[in-house]
Amino acid sequence: MSSDEFASALKRFVQKPAADSAFAMISSCRDFIHRQAMRWREPSLSLGGKMREIMSEMLLILLEDFEPGKVSHPNSVFSYLQNKIMRLTRPYRKRSIVLVEDCDLLDSGRCNFTASRQQFAEEIFVTLRCYLLGHADPAVTQLEFLFVHIYPEVRWISRLLAQKNGNDENTQVEADKKRHQTFNRNLRAAFERMQSGELKELVNWSSGERSHLAWRIINIAPAEIDETLESERQILAEWRENIDRRQPQSLHNLELADKVLNNMKNRRRDLKKCFIAGEEAAPYGDEPDILLQLIGKPESIDNVADETASDWNDPVSVAADQATEKLFEQVASEVSCWFATLSMNKNSAEINAKTGYNQNNIYSQRQ
């Protein structure tokens, strides 16, 4: 893959997402896709199935996270794609994703996305982002931002915040438990007002579809922040991917998180306040944690960083034979046709609103 070929294909795709531009986009990443598929240690998936999931994920990411005029240097876009795809192809799962107990554990099925399911996923994303960034209480916003984007455990976050602010740890933990439960209850109420579907429908989605939705919620896309904070965004992503919760954490990372959070909020000054005055919180744990149902939770609460990145940064290529090249072409064609059907059935306004909560009227329609 040449950088010029990728840059040209990327420009064409973001300007007009369609079957031909999707195929060109996939083909420009042929070596990367083939290498990641060959290294994906998932015996239940064929090589073609692995390619299909990687291609589908790449196209969904580009459709949702980038738009014409807001695409940074092609190298940074490829780096963003690479990081997300390498998470998909890692051999060990760090999270149980999106109601995973109700389905098989095989991370596949992204090509099951229909226009209606993609619209519903978009509304879930929009609702959560709007509710979090538009929340009236900065203490709640800070807590939930760290819960969603760094590590989904209230007690762990509270200990860090208590250490940073010089507060009593037990007092911080108890206060944050109540904040988190009230946030979940009111978020559930916001989800109940969605127009595209109901959360219970997610149990009928494939694990691949739900995994894509979860990681879209967890990740902060480059278009969601100012370009000047791209390095901070990457540091937070690295922190999330490599946390060992048993070890002391750098409090500087909390400062970076606040910086990114405030920037995301400032970019969306037109967000309507969606905070709902909650009733007195019930004892913690009496209700299901809706955020954990959406984004999943680490399978090991003792150590998140239980694998190294060396295997996935290895530049050694894996040679593709003639049969593999033919398989690649076949799968790429199938995925491109699926994507064309998906994009054609989307409303043009939705296609332009690839960062979700840039849809300014989503809450005004519900008032």
Side-chain angles (χ1 to χ4, degrees):
M1 178 193 73
S2 69
S3 58
D4 289 343
E5 180 185 4
F6 176 77
S8 176
L10 173 65
K11 181 179 179 180
R12 183 183 177 194
F13 178 87
V14 296
Q15 289 179 342
K16 186 180 179 181
D20 56 347
S21 61
F23 187 85
M25 185 72 248
I26 292 170
S27 297
S28 73
C29 302
R30 179 188 301 265
D31 292 343
F32 169 73
I33 294 171
H34 175 250
R35 185 166 58 249
Q36 293 305 314
M38 292 294 289
R39 291 174 176 171
W40 189 351
R41 303 169 192 172
E42 176 51 76
S44 300
L45 278 176
S46 66
L47 178 59
K50 294 172 183 177
M51 289 181 177
R52 182 174 292 104
E53 295 305 316
I54 293 171
M55 294 174 187
S56 303
E57 182 75 355
M58 290 180 68
L59 295 180
L60 287 169
I61 291 168
L62 288 170
L63 180 68
E64 296 167 344
D65 291 351
F66 296 95
E67 59 183 300
K70 288 189 177 181
V71 173
S72 54
H73 192 278
N75 287 347
S76 64
V77 175
F78 181 75
S79 177
Y80 181 70
L81 285 171
Q82 183 182 45
N83 289 336
K84 295 193 74 174
I85 295 303
M86 285 167 64
R87 184 196 309 110
L88 170 65
T89 59
R90 286 177 179 178
Y92 303 111
R93 298 174 188 277
K94 290 182 181 179
R95 288 177 185 257
S96 298
I97 295 293
V98 195
L99 303 178
V100 74
E101 64 272 16
D102 294 314
C103 75
D104 62 281
L105 292 175
L106 187 62
D107 195 1
S108 62
R110 285 163 179 79
C111 275
N112 289 345
F113 262 119
T114 60
S116 60
R117 284 190 176 184
Q118 207 280 330
Q119 182 178 352
F120 184 34
E122 181 76 7
E123 188 171 10
I124 292 172
F125 172 82
V126 169
T127 301
L128 178 54
R129 280 292 200 270
C130 282
Y131 185 63
L132 194 156
L133 297 179
H135 202 285
D137 188 340
V140 173
T141 304
Q142 181 185 44
L143 170 68
E144 302 304 337
F145 179 86
L146 294 170
F147 190 95
V148 170
H149 298 295
I150 303 300
Y151 192 76
E153 183 187 333
V154 171
R155 185 177 294 274
W156 181 83
I157 297 169
S158 298
R159 288 171 177 166
L160 284 183
L161 294 176
Q163 183 181 354
K164 177 177 182 292
N165 300 323
N167 298 334
D168 177 74
E169 182 178 302
N170 291 331
T171 301
Q172 180 83 43
V173 168
E174 291 306 314
D176 284 342
K177 282 182 178 180
K178 293 179 180 179
R179 292 185 179 110
H180 183 67
Q181 186 167 28
T182 302
F183 181 89
N184 265 276
R185 178 180 294 114
N186 293 328
L187 178 61
R188 185 180 296 276
F191 282 143
E192 288 175 353
R193 296 194 298 273
M194 290 189 299
Q195 300 176 3
S196 301
E198 300 179 5
L199 284 184
K200 64 183 180 181
E201 297 173 20
L202 293 180
V203 298
N204 297 319
W205 287 22
S206 69
S207 58
E209 289 173 296
R210 286 178 277 175
S211 176
H212 173 80
L213 170 60
W215 284 108
R216 189 185 179 204
I217 291 171
I218 293 167
N219 276 284
I220 300 171
E224 297 186 77
I225 58 170
D226 293 336
E227 290 185 9
T228 55
L229 290 180
E230 175 59 18
S231 62
E232 286 83 350
R233 187 195 67 80
Q234 292 183 16
I235 291 172
L236 292 184
E238 292 170 4
W239 185 26
R240 177 185 67 238
E241 292 298 309
N242 297 294
I243 285 175
D244 184 341
R245 67 189 296 278
R246 300 171 300 183
Q247 301 299 322
Q249 305 296 314
S250 171
L251 297 182
H252 178 60
N253 286 339
L254 289 179
E255 296 176 4
L256 296 182
D258 286 341
K259 192 174 180 180
V260 171
L261 169 59
N262 289 331
N263 183 256
M264 291 173 70
K265 293 171 68 175
N266 289 336
R267 283 169 63 88
R268 300 308 310 157
R269 287 290 189 186
D270 56 339
L271 276 176
K272 294 193 173 185
K273 294 296 181 182
C274 35
F275 175 73
I276 307 169
E279 60 187 89
E280 185 68 21
Y284 183 71
D286 280 3
E287 298 178 354
D289 192 318
I290 195 169
L291 276 179
L292 284 181
Q293 288 183 327
L294 282 172
I295 67 174
K297 60 183 178 180
E299 291 189 339
S300 170
I301 64 172
D302 292 324
N303 183 15
V304 181
D306 56 359
E307 56 189 82
T308 64
S310 58
D311 288 345
W312 312 104
N313 292 329
D314 183 2
V316 178
S317 62
V318 181
D321 56 24
Q322 187 173 3
T324 302
E325 289 288 350
K326 184 176 181 180
L327 177 63
F328 182 96
E329 294 288 336
Q330 177 185 341
V331 175
S333 177
E334 293 171 356
V335 172
S336 298
C337 290
W338 158 77
F339 180 80
T341 301
L342 176 66
S343 58
M344 280 192 302
N345 288 333
K346 285 176 60 69
N347 181 279
S348 60
E350 292 176 321
I351 294 177
N352 291 330
K354 296 182 181 64
T355 56
Y357 58 89
N358 287 330
Q359 302 176 58
N360 297 334
N361 65 342
I362 189 166
Y363 276 94
S364 62
Q365 291 175 352
R366 299 178 184 141
Q367 300 301 316

